[in-house]
Structures are given as structure tokens and as C-alpha cells.
Amino acid sequence: MYDHHTLLYFSHRLYSHELTLEENKQIYGKCINQHGHNYVLEVSVKGAVDPKTGMFINITELKSIIATEVLDILDHRTLEDLEPLKGIVTTTENVAVWIWGALHKKLGNLLFEVKIEETEKNFVIYRGE
Ligand SMILES: Nc1nc2c(c(=O)[nH]1)N=C([C@H](O)[C@H](O)COP(=O)(O)OP(=O)(O)OP(=O)(O)O)CN2
Ligand SMILES: [Zn+2]
């Protein structure tokens, strides 16, 4: 098992276009307003160590995959503006599921877990269930 931490910042609001403004206010409160977080993304991978190399993935490759598939798309962006997240309420749960999908395309079964901390108090762990 190997964990890799990375920081990213993005702005979002919690708002569902399937609900009325009143319903959104009821459900999401102050979070319907645009705001941002310094998220911490932790990607865990697992695999059988290759006896020849002593690795199951080169961390340099893992970092490159996280950079191209996640950071280059999300970091310092407004989530609601991003095509891949259109129509998705950008809760930490939904962002974790989206990140899992983006990484799984490249990592396949090496991907074990995506953990994303939205604030010091809130984080989501997703294992592709
Ligand atoms: N199930 C979820 N609930 C909430 C989410 C979420 O992603 N999933 N997100 C938010 C807001 O984005 C908000 O910015 C974070 O919530 P907040 O209560 O502000 O976070 P803190 O607990 O760190 O804030 P304190 O004011 O210090 O308590 C809300 N809900
Ligand atoms: Zn928020």
C-alpha cells in the first residue's frame, strides 16, 4: 500500500438546479454561496511488489497521473464551470467519486482509496463501492 498526499484549492457552491432556490437554501444554507477550500487529496494504491524493481508502481508515475487527471483539471478552478462536473452538486462526496473515476481510468485495480479533506473537520473516503 502506498499513500500520496497533495494539496489543491478550488471554489464551489452547493446548489442543485433540480431544486428551487428556497429548497437549496433549506438544504445547503450558507454553502449555496460561492466559496473555496484548501482541499487535501490522499490517493492510496495497492499491489504486489515486483521482486525485480521492489515497486508495484513508480511514485513518479503516480504523481504524474494525479497531476494530469486531477490537479490540472480541478486546481484553482470554479468547479461548477468544469464540463466533467456539469450538473453535479459539488459536495466532497461527489468530488471524491469523480476523482476516483478519473484516476481509475489510468490506475485500474492499483487504485485502493481516494480520501479528500474539505476542511480540517470534514473528509470523505471512497473505495469505488
Ligand atoms: N455531506 C456534506 N455536507 C456538506 C458539505 C459536503 O461536501 N458534504 N460541504 C459543505 C460546505 O462545502 C462547507 O464549506 C463545509 O462545511 P462547513 O460546515 O463550513 O465546514 P466546517 O465544519 O469546517 O465549518 P465550521 O463553520 O468551522 O463548522 C457543507 N456541508
Ligand atoms: Zn464548501
Side-chain angles (χ1 to χ4, degrees), residues 27-88:
I27 296 167
Y28 303 114
K30 66 180 187 324
C31 301
I32 66 168
N33 300 308
Q34 205 69 35
H35 60 279
H37 300 288
N38 291 303
Y39 289 81
V40 177
L41 171 63
E42 183 175 308
V43 176
S44 301
V45 289
K46 67 175 174 15
V49 174
D50 179 336
K52 284 198 295 299
T53 64
M55 302 186 286
F56 56 86
I57 184 171
N58 188 322
I59 292 312
T60 310
E61 183 189 355
L62 176 61
K63 285 195 293 189
S64 167
I65 289 169
I66 294 170
T68 56
E69 303 310 312
V70 179
L71 303 188
D72 292 352
I73 296 163
L74 299 184
D75 196 24
H76 282 78
R77 298 286 198 292
T78 297
L79 293 192
E80 288 73 32
D81 296 347
L82 302 177
E83 204 46 49
L85 289 168
K86 274 266 181 276
I88 294 173

Side-chain angles (χ1 to χ4, degrees), residues 12-14 27-28 30-31 35-37 39 90-94 118-122 124:
H12 81 143
R13 67 187 298 221
L14 296 188
I27 296 167
Y28 303 114
K30 66 180 187 324
C31 301
H35 60 279
H37 300 288
Y39 289 81
T90 54
T91 56
T92 314
E93 296 93 318
N94 280 340
E118 183 181 59
T119 72
E120 295 80 45
K121 301 176 195 168
N122 308 332
V124 163

